[in-house]
Amino acid sequence: MRKNSVKNTRINSEVLRELSRIISREIKDPRISPMTTVVAVEVAPDLKTCKAYISVLGPEEELQDTLEGLRSAHGYIKRELAHSVNLRNTPDIRFIPDQSIAYGVNMSKKIDIINAEMHEREKAAQENSDSNTFENEEGGQ
């Protein structure tokens, strides 16, 4: 099976859905943040391994605690995944922190700051040109 085949894409989406359900509803570990999201899943074509990209809304310590909790619940998660997804092999799951959401929020804030600065500069330039026009009209009389 190729990496981008229809079958692999379908397996990825099914594993993503089931991992999200298992993590959000079934694991009771207090280290795992309630704001945990499974962003993406990449199951290898041979169905032996799986990379699960995890994002946590909150500070970096919360992300590390969540990853530690998920790694300790690895056996339970794999068993529940085997029960819910009918695959020849149940993939071995590696949890990888995903910073894309935090990166997107950070970039959005930076864009907002730049837009506000540009608006301030345009406003100051407009006021400056208005005052120069006013001075030229007074000087001409």
Side-chain angles (χ1 to χ4, degrees), residues 7-62:
K7 182 178 178 183
N8 194 268
T9 304
R10 193 175 70 240
I11 290 171
N12 286 342
S13 64
E14 184 70 21
V15 171
L16 172 73
R17 186 164 25 100
E18 289 302 319
L19 270 180
S20 297
R21 182 187 60 79
I22 293 167
I23 290 171
S24 65
R25 295 189 185 136
E26 296 186 17
I27 298 179
K28 305 298 183 209
D29 192 331
R31 294 176 290 185
I32 298 174
S33 170
M35 300 300 287
T36 301
T37 306
V38 180
V39 178
V41 169
E42 292 178 4
V43 178
D46 63 357
L47 304 177
K48 299 275 186 200
T49 60
C50 169
K51 293 179 187 175
Y53 295 94
I54 305 295
S55 177
V56 176
L57 190 61
E60 182 69 24
E61 300 84 34
E62 203 166 324

